[in-house]
Amino acid sequence: MKFEALIDIAKNTLNPRQLSENAEAGSVAAALVTDQGNVYRGVCIDVPCSMGFCAEHAAIAAMITAGESRIEKLVAVCEDGDIVAPTFEISKTLFFIFL
C-alpha cells in the first residue's frame, strides 16, 4: 500500500468530538498497514490527566488485538489533515514492540 492511500484512510478516520465535559476524541487519527497487508485505525483520546492516549497507540492496540505485530507503515494526521510526527511515547512503544 502506498503512503498516499494510508494517509487517506487516516484522514477518513478523523472524527473530532466531545465525549464529556472533560474528554475529547478523534482530533488525531492514525492508520497502519501490517506486513500481512491488513490496515488498522485508531483515534486519540484527550483527557485532562495523563491517562489519554495517542491515535497511534489505538491503531497499534487494534493490530495486536487482531494477533499481528509487524507494522509496515504508520501515519497519523491531525484535524486539519496534516501529517503529524510520532511522539516520544510512540517511538518508545515501537522500539519495544520491534526489539
Side-chain angles (χ1 to χ4, degrees):
M1 174 178 290
K2 295 189 181 248
F3 263 114
E4 292 78 12
L6 201 59
I7 292 166
D8 286 341
I9 291 168
K11 286 180 181 179
N12 289 328
T13 303
L14 285 166
N15 187 12
R17 61 200 176 279
Q18 192 77 34
L19 299 175
S20 70
E21 183 179 323
N22 295 309
E24 299 175 348
S27 63
V28 176
L32 65 83
V33 63
T34 66
D35 61 347
Q36 301 296 310
N38 295 311
V39 174
Y40 298 95
R41 304 172 304 147
V43 296
C44 66
I45 297 176
D46 297 312
V47 294
C49 64
S50 63
M51 297 306 293
F53 58 87
C54 300
E56 299 96 327
H57 279 137
I60 292 166
M63 172 193 69
I64 291 172
T65 299
E68 296 193 67
S69 60
R70 295 288 171 219
I71 299 170
E72 188 174 284
K73 295 181 177 102
L74 169 66
V75 67
V77 296
C78 59
E79 207 168 346
D80 62 7
D82 288 342
I83 295 170
V84 294
T87 63
F88 180 67
E89 289 79 13
I90 294 301
S91 299
K92 286 191 304 187
T93 299
L94 292 172
F95 173 78
F96 286 113
I97 288 173
F98 299 112
L99 259 181

